[in-house]
């Protein structure tokens, strides 16, 4: 303690203590202020990424009911997402959706509106009278020829007594069933609209569709006619889901719900029909973000054959097929392929010399990886077609010509 009177010593200690306290408060204040500034900067960065994510995931929507989130190519949408990151402060306002809408390319949105209107004219509502079982139901369909041929799902018309088709211009026609294919869940209807040519959808190549493509789904969910939604392709070639005998689904993020079945899935860039919406994955009965469409390369072949002959004429292998496990790999000497568990007497496979225990590794030069792929591949061949089958038998590779019966 410094020398001096007691009073002066107390005063000096208080001064020192007060000075130290002020310094501590000053540094604490500076640290807190720095922390708050850093947090604001981090939040701004996070909000920028979040808003960009909203754009990329098709969540930011215009406030008008007629113009949903447009479908951009990634090269187009990424600069827009970066621009959103620059306006995060303004994006906090109540008219966030309107501001987001203004950032998008207005010309593109106008083109999207025209495209949606054009494509919507090819999609119809299918009314199903189930008077024999009581009640009725509704689904969707797509006009695929100007003379009135319409494709829909087989499950939409299953058990129907009569069918009504309602066009986009509100005209209603009675429809007759030209043919059904339960294994692919497809059916073809026909309406008589007189001599007038109906607007119709043109098939696209679904085999070139890839993850990230933007698509337009049109149908009548819950009876709400001409409902148009937009989204992404999440996956292609989905098999083994247990919904149909032949499966090669396009998985989509565009919202579809009960009533969308039979409606069209269109590729935005080309405006071509690449699939027929057929199913959703849900635990609640409504859309949960996962939908499935039958790809055009299956739907077109099935509908063409139904229109031509009234049925689908698929060639049969005459084989019971199973997966290739480790034991079968060792037994056959094959590393991959499809195991033949049984050969039917009198079948094309039996005539070609195929035996139980063989492993199919190729058909017409295309490698076979699993049972679903093989069945789907062979389904494209009509009856009496000749295919070249390569099998492995006890480590030896053999090639034979097989006639589908």
């Amino acid at each position: 303690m410094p020398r001096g009177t007691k009073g002066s010593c107390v005063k000096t200690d208080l001064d020192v203590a007060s000075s130290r306290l002020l310094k501590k408060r000053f540094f604490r204040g500076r640290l807190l202020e720095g922390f708050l500034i850093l947090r604001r900067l981090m939040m701004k960065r996070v909000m920028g990424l979040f808003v960009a994510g909203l754009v990329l995931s098709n969540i930011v929507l215009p406030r008008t009911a007629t113009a949903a989130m447009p479908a951009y190519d990634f090269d187009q949408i990424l600069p827009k997402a970066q621009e959103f990151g620059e306006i995060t402060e303004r994006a906090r306002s109540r008219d966030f959706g309107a501001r987001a809408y203004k950032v998008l390319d207005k010309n593109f949105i106008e083109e999207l509106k025209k495209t949606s209107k054009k494509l919507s004219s090819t999609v119809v509502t299918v009314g199903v009278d189930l008077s024999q079982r009581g009640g009725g139901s509704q689904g969707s369909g797509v006009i695929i020829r100007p003379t009135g041929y319409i494709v829909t799902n087989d499950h939409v018309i299953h058990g129907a007594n009569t069918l009504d088709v309602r066009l986009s211009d509100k005209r209603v026609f009675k429809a007759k069933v030209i043919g059904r294919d339960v294994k692919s869940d497809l059916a073809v209807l026909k309406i008589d609209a007189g001599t007038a040519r109906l607007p119709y959808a043109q098939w696209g190549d679904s085999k070139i569709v890839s993850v990230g493509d933007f698509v337009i789904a049109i149908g009548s969910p819950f009876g709400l006619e001409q409902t148009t939604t937009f989204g992404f392709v999440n996956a292609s070639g989905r098999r083994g889901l247990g919904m149909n005998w032949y499966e090669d689904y396009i998985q989509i993020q565009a919202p579809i719900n009960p009533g969308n079945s039979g409606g069209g899935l269109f590729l935005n860039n080309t405006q071509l029909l690449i699939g027929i919406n057929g199913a959703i994955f849900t635990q609640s009965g409504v859309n949960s973000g996962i939908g499935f469409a039958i790809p055009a390369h299956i739907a077109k072949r099935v509908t063409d054959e139904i229109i031509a002959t009234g049925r689908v004429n698929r060639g049969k292998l005459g084989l019971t097929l199973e997966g290739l496990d480790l034991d079968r790999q060792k037994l056959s000497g094959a590393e991959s392929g499809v195991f033949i568990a049984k050969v039917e007497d009198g079948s094309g496979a039996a005539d070609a010399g195929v035996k139980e225990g063989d492993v199919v590794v190729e058909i017409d030069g295309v490698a076979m990886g699993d049972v679903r792929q093989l069945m789907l591949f062979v389904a494209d061949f009509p009856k009496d077609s000749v295919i070249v089958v390569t099998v492995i038998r006890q480590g030896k590779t053999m090639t034979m010509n097989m006639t589908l019966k």
Side-chain angles (χ1 to χ4, degrees):
M1 183 181 296
R3 294 185 179 184
T5 63
K6 186 176 181 179
S8 64
C9 290
V10 172
K11 183 177 181 181
T12 302
D13 285 348
L14 287 173
D15 289 340
V16 172
S18 176
S19 176
R20 290 176 178 174
L21 181 61
L22 288 174
K23 288 180 180 179
K24 288 182 180 179
R25 288 180 177 177
F26 175 81
F27 285 117
R28 286 177 181 172
R30 298 287 78 76
L31 287 173
L32 179 60
E33 184 178 351
F35 172 77
L36 293 175
I37 292 173
L38 180 61
R39 187 175 69 172
R40 283 197 294 270
L41 291 173
M42 292 178 66
M43 287 299 295
K44 185 174 181 179
R45 179 65 175 171
V46 171
M47 282 297 295
L49 294 174
F50 175 71
V51 176
L54 289 178
V55 180
L56 290 172
S57 59
N58 199 13
I59 296 175
V60 178
L61 297 176
R63 289 183 177 269
T64 57
T66 57
M69 179 66 185
Y72 280 95
D73 292 327
F74 277 107
D75 290 340
Q76 293 175 303
I77 199 171
L78 285 176
K80 300 301 178 183
Q82 293 168 0
E83 189 171 351
F84 268 95
E86 300 296 325
I87 62 166
T88 51
E89 293 297 327
R90 289 182 294 159
R92 295 178 184 177
S93 61
R94 293 183 63 185
D95 61 339
F96 172 60
R99 290 181 183 274
Y101 180 74
K102 290 177 182 178
V103 175
L104 302 177
D105 189 326
K106 292 182 179 179
N107 292 332
F108 183 84
I109 291 176
E110 290 303 318
E111 287 299 318
L112 183 67
K113 290 179 180 179
K114 294 177 183 178
T115 298
S116 300
K117 184 177 181 180
K118 173 185 173 182
L119 297 178
S120 292
S121 66
T122 69
V123 180
V124 303
T125 300
V126 179
V128 183
D129 178 13
L130 301 173
S131 57
Q132 292 181 348
R133 300 187 307 180
S137 65
Q138 245 183 14
S140 305
V142 183
I143 304 172
I144 53 174
R145 295 197 181 180
T147 50
Y149 287 99
I150 296 167
V151 60
T152 187
N153 287 135
D154 179 70
H155 74 260
V156 169
I157 66 168
H158 177 70
N161 184 32
T162 59
L163 295 168
D164 292 321
V165 169
R166 185 180 178 92
L167 306 185
S168 61
D169 60 10
K170 309 306 180 184
R171 288 183 294 166
V172 179
F173 298 91
K174 292 292 182 183
K176 64 178 181 179
V177 178
I178 301 301
R180 301 169 53 194
D181 183 44
V182 177
K183 290 186 175 181
S184 65
D185 191 27
L186 291 167
V188 176
L189 312 179
K190 177 72 165 62
I191 61 173
D192 184 4
T195 58
R197 291 173 59 87
L198 297 174
Y200 67 100
Q202 298 185 33
W203 293 107
D205 185 1
S206 55
K207 291 185 177 181
I208 66 172
V209 172
S210 60
V211 174
D213 283 342
F214 287 82
V215 290
I216 303 171
I218 306 176
S220 303
F222 305 110
L224 301 172
E225 300 176 4
Q226 303 299 307
T227 296
T228 304
T229 57
F230 304 86
F232 302 91
V233 171
N234 298 137
S236 59
R238 288 291 192 203
R239 303 171 187 152
L241 302 177
M243 292 187 286
N244 290 315
W245 188 263
Y246 296 107
E247 295 180 340
D248 197 29
Y249 285 111
I250 301 171
Q251 181 181 320
I252 59 173
Q253 174 255 353
I256 57 176
N257 285 289
N260 271 112
S261 291
L265 182 70
F266 300 89
L267 188 61
N268 179 57
N269 291 342
T270 63
Q271 302 179 23
L272 298 178
L273 181 65
I274 59 167
I276 302 300
N277 299 319
I280 58 175
F281 179 84
T282 178
Q283 295 178 333
S284 63
V286 294
N287 180 270
S288 59
I290 300 178
F292 301 98
I294 301 167
H297 66 266
I298 291 179
K300 184 179 185 303
R301 178 191 176 276
V302 169
T303 55
D304 284 351
E305 194 159 356
I306 288 177
I307 292 172
T309 66
R311 60 189 296 271
V312 179
N313 184 27
R314 294 187 180 93
K316 295 182 180 180
L317 285 169
L319 298 172
T320 300
L321 304 171
E322 296 180 359
L324 188 64
D325 57 23
L326 291 177
D327 291 337
R328 288 168 175 169
Q329 285 180 345
K330 294 178 181 178
L331 181 65
S332 64
E335 295 181 358
S336 62
V338 180
F339 184 80
I340 298 176
K342 184 179 179 180
V343 180
E344 295 179 10
D345 294 336
S347 65
D351 295 342
V354 178
K355 296 183 179 181
E356 294 180 9
D358 288 351
V359 176
V360 179
V361 291
E362 287 185 0
I363 297 179
D364 283 356
V366 179
M368 295 292 111
D370 56 58
V371 175
R372 291 279 180 179
Q373 180 195 3
L374 191 152
M375 292 172 56
L376 197 63
F377 186 84
V378 174
D380 281 338
F381 294 90
K383 185 179 178 181
D384 297 327
S385 297
V386 178
I387 58 177
V388 180
V389 180
T390 302
V391 303
I392 293 180
R393 180 183 299 166
Q394 296 179 347
K396 297 182 179 179
T397 301
M398 306 177 66
T399 299
M400 54 198 74
N401 294 330
M402 182 189 302
T403 301
L404 302 176
K405 295 186 176 181

